[in-house]
Amino acid sequence: MHTTIISVCAVISLGCLLGDINCEQQSSIPEDKLLVFTVATKETEGFKRFMRSARYFNYTIKVLGRGEKWRGGDYMSVPGGGQKVRLLKSALEGVKEEDKIILFIDSYDVVFASGPQEMLKKFQQARHRVVFSAEAVIWPDRHLEDKYPHVREGKRFLSSGGFIGYVPNLKALVANWTGKDNESDQLFYTKIFIDPEKRKSINITLDYKCRLFQNLYGALDEVVLKFEDGRVRARNLIYDTLPVTVHGNGPTKLQINYLGNYIPRTWTFETGCTICDQDQRALSGLKESDYPLVVIGIFIQQPTPFVSVFFERLLDLKYPKDRLKLFIYNQEPHHEQHVSSFLQGHQKEYRAVKVIGPEVEMDSAASRNLGIDICRQDIDCEYFFSLDVEVVLKNTDSLRILIEQNQPIIAPMITRPGRLWTNFWGALGADGYYARSEDYVDIVQGLRVGIWNVPYITSVYLVKATILRTDLIAENLYQSGTLDPDMAFCLNVRNQGVFMFVTNRQEFGRVVSTENYQTQHLHNDLWQIFENPVDWEERYIHQNYSRIMSENHVETPCPDVYWFPIFTEVACRHLIEEMEHYGQWSGGSSTDTRIQGGYENVPTIDIHMNQINFEKEWHKFLLDYIAPVTEKMFPGYYTKAQFDLAFVVRYKPDEQPALRPHHDASTFTINIALNQMGLDYQGGGCRFLRYDCSIQAPRKGWALMHPGRLTHYHEGLPTTAGTRYIAVSFVDP
């Protein structure tokens, strides 16, 4: 025990003599001794993010270069940054206190993860007068690698993106700068550092283990988010350190954007989003005439289901139509009827409408550039709202919500039912295409709610016109090599340092699938029950259908005859019109080659579902919407909704007005009224002879369900005027 104590003391004494251990108790440096210098010639979104994190920790910031034109070059392609050295040198001349400590750091791609106290403590522990950030990649001159001091552990190479030091030492550091604004600041500092005499005289070291500064370039796999006590830090896994600043240097802008979604307290598990309600643009209380003018670009590029519904939703947007200008690009002849129908009824409601139809040879990229330019050139336009026709924008407040969020570019998150697809990417792979970010699934599933800085958006988004007239002034925003228009747009936006956000704070809607969409029918949307089941249900299933299960919304007009809502008026109309469009009605003869055996005992004038290639879709309808009602009304009976015969019957006084008494070749029968007695026809109905019970005024869109054999002998009552249509299915024959 005594030997151990003596050995420890000896080590400490030796450390004191050699200077490896600071044996004097150092007092902490007061926070007011720290001043942060940063260069920002314009207030970008990245700068605003930097300042927000600085304010959170109460850093004192002095911004250099405001109002100057940036002449420091483009870091992504060639060395530059000399302008920062010039500005720092000039600013230091005005600092007289020699005990002042200056943190000089980039701002556009930096966030603070902790406060001045921790920064000063770790600087003090470094036991040097100047500490530079370090990185694993040497830049800009690889030939200088051998001149760097070797280190046993840590990052070896200097980075000029962040450094801290005492004023006299920093003055000595930049004293000999005579370079041009576009020369390399990093090369200038590197040559000082690799000179042993200068390194010693100025007393420079590097932050080898990322205790103060975390540069992301070359270190992406080392850095993870650390959530603790209502705050978020970046943790370096290699050195187990918590850096005070995080810098997305070089080609790591997307990664700092991702980390900036959380650090230092942008979003936490305890608080959720803490900045979502900041700096909003309030529209409530404005007169309609004072609302921002918006150009809505509508893009129709391929055959798409439910286009008529799209225009209905456009009309339902809660936004003054006199403050909306429409630019409609339609490249699909099939949809000319939908565009024309919408304009005939509503064009005059909007401030202006411009249409580019299929007759104009214009590709997708050119059309989108034109839409953007219409807003850019209109001095009154404040926003461009890009809206693809595949988007189902269910939230009627969507446009207002996006404007009020007051972001340069923002998309409402939309999804595809049953899939993890959305209209944004959380990350990009090395090839520039989709990669899944760690938080993507949580955002999609609503486990993390907020406004997210992302690298790619598509389908629907809002762009500030001021951005189009400044940072995004290029005419060909939607063109870049072989990339598709949206990829090109997002690349060009990212290259200009403009942030794109997606919000999942509200439910906005979804996107329809265009796969397998055929256009050979009159009402092609009827066939979308497989590809777009949610949209199909909203369009064609009665709004009160769900009440059948929740509230037992079923009537019993006759014994074991159940009456319930099933189809919307649109579904009824589309089915009638589809059959009349097909037009090949049977003659009402008992001889019928369409059925097995070729003979029908009780014939009707009808068209079978398989004649219009609708039998698969009809079976899906029976299985999803009729079978659950059957099993509820007939407990213990389970059906797979098989059928041999499903058809639409037409009754007319001068053709076939009625149907004689009969049984159906089914376990149970479904009979859906497709039009309205009194409005479309007179008479009609169904009488069950055994019970002497009639339903003489069937409700449009409602289904009668009854046993087919043995007990429910029935007849069709005469139609005395007009035309009556019903859809009949013999289920489980």
Side-chain angles (χ1 to χ4, degrees), residues 97-112:
E97 307 97 317
E98 293 195 353
D99 62 345
K100 202 77 169 177
I101 297 171
I102 303 297
L103 169 63
F104 189 68
I105 195 161
D106 289 353
S107 60
Y108 294 161
D109 50 8
V110 170
V111 291
F112 285 104

Side-chain angles (χ1 to χ4, degrees), residues 54-73:
R55 285 192 299 269
Y56 178 75
F57 293 112
N58 293 317
Y59 280 96
T60 301
I61 307 289
K62 183 174 182 179
V63 180
L64 311 179
R66 270 186 171 147
E68 277 196 21
K69 182 178 180 181
W70 175 252
R71 299 181 178 86

Side-chain angles (χ1 to χ4, degrees), residues 112-172:
F112 285 104
S114 190
Q117 184 178 5
E118 184 175 337
M119 173 65 77
L120 290 170
K121 179 181 179 181
K122 289 181 174 179
F123 169 60
Q124 195 171 22
Q125 291 170 345
R127 302 176 62 249
H128 284 73
R129 302 285 287 184
V130 177
V131 179
F132 270 87
S133 62
E135 59 185 333
V137 181
I138 186 170
W139 170 265
D141 188 349
R142 296 177 58 188
H143 298 94
L144 299 178
E145 179 176 351
D146 292 340
K147 297 184 181 296
Y148 267 90
H150 288 279
V151 295
R152 285 175 295 179
E153 185 181 15
K155 311 291 184 185
R156 184 181 172 196
F157 305 112
L158 176 146
S159 170
S160 62
F163 54 90
I164 185 172
Y166 284 95
V167 167
N169 302 74
L170 293 183
K171 286 182 176 179

Side-chain angles (χ1 to χ4, degrees), residues 566-567 575 579 606-609 614-615 617-623 626-627 630 641-649 664-674 703-709 714 726-733:
I566 190 67
F567 274 161
L575 200 52
M579 292 304 183
D606 56 47
I607 295 175
H608 290 187
M609 297 300 181
F614 196 57
E615 67 274 20
E617 289 76 12
W618 191 256
H619 178 251
K620 174 73 170 171
F621 157 69
L622 293 176
L623 195 61
I626 298 299
T630 305
Q642 299 298 324
F643 64 90
D644 287 336
L645 291 178
F647 47 92
V648 172
V649 180
D664 293 334
S666 67
T667 301
F668 68 93
T669 295
I670 297 297
N671 177 335
I672 304 172
L674 298 180
L704 286 173
M705 180 171 65
H706 60 83
R709 298 186 181 90
H714 58 284
I726 58 173
V728 178
S729 300
F730 296 161
V731 186
D732 294 345

Side-chain angles (χ1 to χ4, degrees), residues 227 232 261-262 265-269 272-274 447-449 452:
F227 294 86
V232 188
N261 284 330
Y262 297 93
R265 197 170 175 264
T266 307
W267 189 97
T268 73
F269 286 105
C273 180
T274 63
L447 301 177
R448 302 186 189 187
V449 175
W452 312 95

